[in-house]
Amino acid sequence: VSSAFSSDSSSGKPSPPVGVELLTPWPHAHLITSSDWDLVTVRTLLKTANHYFQTVFQTGSSSSCNPSDNHSVLTGHSVVNLFYEQSTRTRISFELAAKKLGATVINFEVSTSSVGKGESLEDTLSTLIAMGINAIVVRHASSGTPVLLHRQFGEAIHIINAGDGTHDHPTQGLLDLLTLFNAFELPLGTGTLQGKKVVIVGDILHSRVARSNLYFLNLLGATVHVVAPPALLPKNIEDLGCTAHHHLEKALQDADVVMGLRLQRERQSDQFVASLAEYTHFYGLTQDRLQRFCKPGVFIMHPGPVNRGVEMSSDLIDHPQSLITKQVRYGVAVRMAILSLCLSKPLTKS
Ligand code: NCD
């Protein structure tokens, strides 16, 4: 295994890790939008991530002093976490992933940076590039920010989208796929989610997680249903490959997987639901509702953070069929794979 992590000293680029036997050469220096990545790319990523998962988590090597924890492919590389929005899981797992690969990681603190002095995102990025930073992981409240940054700086620095506005959250979509493939014990190189009904419940209108999942779940052949109160369900959502519902019980019928979403109150300019209590009454996921309508053994997912007792009851979050903790763990492995693969691809010079 260790030979798969060797460094190609002539280019200064890390060699791509295992998994890339599906796709050589690896084509992407960036992760900007979910739909930029096709089926073979996604399968390669999942295989690579699963390899990292097995070597980092399954061998009991998650304690900090085990040398096999550090695969070192990114030694000498620097990654800046540029988070303009709050985050727990995504930011920490990107930091952990980069550190496990041996990279130098810098967490950009918006509150203590020159952003408060009026510096633009473009000037901030130019500053990081001048310092020789190799990659940024960017989260921003404005949809499309990574697309614009890629257009301007894509030949100078690797750009990874960690969530942009209501638009896209590709690393979440990918970690959800890996979680599902392993839950259903499907082969990563050839398996599909054909015949699996996935129901996404909650604030679809404001959810970048829902949009990323719609792309990746459809790519792997799942049947996707979304359900939300009318005001939280965009009119054209079915164009993204799903069946839309307002009625929770109908949507849950024979579901194999139910994914809960948080009400994104920080993005809601209007009063989209009359009250939280009313939302929970009509759309709250409970053990009783899942037992009555879904397939036995239905899997429960949520990207977090969860508002316990609002979109999902506490007993469901901690239920044996809940994949929520697994999603978090696979998240680290998926981000290791994304960083090591994207940084192995040379940036083309203008
Ligand atoms: C999600 C996000 O930030 O889009 N969380 C995450 O990344 N795990 C969902 C949310 O904030 O509700």
Side-chain angles (χ1 to χ4, degrees), residues 46-66:
L46 295 181
K47 282 198 83 171
T48 308
N50 207 50
H51 169 80
Y52 281 127
F53 183 77
Q54 282 164 358
T55 53
V56 174
F57 285 103
Q58 303 292 75
T59 56
S61 61
S62 54
S63 78
S64 57
C65 53
N66 190 324

Side-chain angles (χ1 to χ4, degrees), residues 164-183:
D164 61 316
T166 61
H167 173 234
D168 208 351
H169 192 352
T171 66
Q172 182 70 44
L174 288 163
L175 77 87
D176 288 342
L177 269 192
L178 182 59
T179 307
L180 281 178
F181 265 69
N182 283 333

Side-chain angles (χ1 to χ4, degrees), residues 3-9 11-18 20 52 73-74 340-341 343-345:
S3 63
F5 296 96
S6 60
S7 187
D8 172 5
S9 52
S11 69
K13 283 279 165 195
S15 313
V18 295
V20 289
Y52 281 127
V73 281
L74 295 186
S340 61
L341 287 168
L343 270 69
S344 75
K345 165 85 179 165

Side-chain angles (χ1 to χ4, degrees), residues 85-87 89-90 139 162-163 165 169 172 207-209 261-264 266-267 302-305 335:
E85 269 196 333
Q86 293 170 340
S87 173
R89 275 150 277 265
T90 308
R139 168 169 285 196
H169 192 352
Q172 182 70 44
S207 177
R208 53 194 176 208
V209 175
L261 296 175
R262 187 176 63 90
L263 288 174
Q264 306 262 318
E266 71 277 22
R267 301 188 209 284
H302 194 301
R335 287 163 180 132

